[in-house]
Each structure stands twice: as structure tokens, then as C-alpha cells.
Amino acid sequence: MSNTLRPYLNAVRATLTAALTLQNFSSQVVERHNKPEVEAHTSPEVLLLPLVVSRNESERVLIEPSVNSLRISIAIKQADEIEKILCHKFTRFMMMRAEGFVILRRKPLPGYDISFLITNFHAESMLTHKLVDFIIQFMEDVDKEISEMKLSLNARARIVAESYLSTFT
């Protein structure tokens, strides 16, 4: 982890740790239902203030806590068009396999690239510090993966260009 990324990830870690105090909370509208309030928006009094932790204008995390659920939306750094395409393909690949990642949402919020939903059932069945570690590790690795894919793409493009141009010399 680079020194410039460390304070940003520490701020996200501290905010997630503080927000992961989830409890079982039945719906106030429908009896015997327990829906994630951050998704349902049925009772505004159980929603807490959303927080944005931002490293810069293109790299930010939106944390939306409620009494029984927590939605984390991540905007991944995209410096140019190639990174935008690679990021879109990578996140689409992940979201198509959302059932393998229990907390991953199939569709991100508008303006963000990928979203996670942690309910009180996830917090009860999994260790909360491990959930936070997973989110932080994901944020570190997704930047690395996209950078590696970009380097690989550029290397392949250079080989193709050299091969194509060698026919003219």
C-alpha cells in the first residue's frame, strides 16, 4: 500500500468500523418483515446520515448506514478512457457473480462503480472486522488489477503494432 493511499484507507476503515453496529430491526410498516432499511427507505427515522470519504474527485466511498444495514458504494479511480473501459468490464464481471460474494450488490448506485450491502444477518454470521478487512483489501486490489490489466493491454498493443508495421519495412 502506497503512502498516499494509507490515510484514505485508514479513514474508510475507521468509518466502516464505526458504522458496523447493526442490529435486528423489524419493519415498522409490514409485520414480520425485516428488509434492509438502507434499500427500502420505509422509515426515515432509522436511516443515519450518509458519509462520503473522498481521496479526490474521482476516487471516493459513500457509506450509508441504517439501523439494520449498511451500503458501501465505491468510485474507482479512472484516469483515462482505457481505465474507464477496464473498470467497467471488471466491475461488470464481479457483479455478474454477485451470489459468490455474499455482500456484493448486482447494481451500483449512480455515480459509483461497485456497491456492497451488509445486513445485520451478515454482521451476525461473519466477523465484522473481517468484513471491513475484505472491503479495504478489495479497494487496494481493484486498483492493482486495473493497473496490471492496462499494462498488459499496452504490451499486447505494442506487440501487435510492431508485428503489423514490420510488414512494411
Side-chain angles (χ1 to χ4, degrees):
M1 176 170 43
S2 70
N3 285 335
T4 59
L5 190 60
R6 185 168 288 127
Y8 170 64
L9 292 178
N10 286 342
V12 172
R13 179 184 302 275
T15 308
L16 284 177
T17 303
L20 268 172
T21 55
L22 307 175
Q23 61 184 351
N24 195 359
F25 188 81
S26 297
S27 174
Q28 294 180 333
V29 178
V30 180
E31 190 174 326
R32 297 178 151 244
H33 278 250
N34 189 344
K35 300 235 191 276
E37 289 293 331
V38 75
E39 297 273 323
H41 290 289
T42 56
S43 305
E45 62 271 5
V46 297
L47 297 174
L48 303 173
L49 291 175
L51 302 161
V52 177
V53 179
S54 179
R55 184 174 178 206
N56 53 42
E57 60 274 348
S58 66
E59 197 172 1
R60 63 193 186 283
V61 176
L62 173 66
I63 300 171
E64 298 174 282
S66 73
V67 73
N68 68 346
S69 56
L70 175 72
R71 183 168 48 195
I72 304 137
S73 301
I74 302 170
I76 301 167
K77 177 187 68 166
Q78 300 162 20
D80 56 3
E81 286 298 317
I82 292 174
E83 284 187 5
K84 285 180 185 175
I85 292 168
L86 290 173
C87 180
H88 175 70
K89 295 286 185 188
F90 182 73
T91 55
R92 200 177 93 215
F93 174 83
M94 297 284 289
M95 288 183 286
M96 289 177 71
R97 289 146 183 83
E99 62 276 349
F101 301 95
V102 179
I103 61 172
L104 184 64
R105 292 181 75 230
R106 286 203 175 270
K107 190 165 178 157
L109 287 180
Y112 291 88
D113 298 311
I114 198 159
S115 292
F116 297 94
L117 177 69
I118 301 173
T119 63
N120 63 304
F121 299 116
H122 297 133
E124 290 170 3
S125 63
M126 301 177 199
L127 299 171
T128 55
H129 69 279
K130 291 291 185 183
L131 285 170
V132 172
D133 289 344
F134 171 75
I135 300 289
I136 299 299
Q137 188 68 40
F138 177 83
M139 290 173 65
E140 288 176 8
D141 290 347
V142 75
D143 282 339
K144 264 190 262 181
E145 286 292 324
I146 291 174
S147 296
E148 287 173 9
M149 285 190 289
K150 186 176 178 183
L151 289 172
S152 173
L153 180 71
N154 287 338
R156 288 174 56 194
R158 184 174 44 256
I159 291 169
V160 168
E162 288 172 357
S163 168
Y164 177 73
L165 293 175
S166 68
T167 60
F168 296 114
T169 57

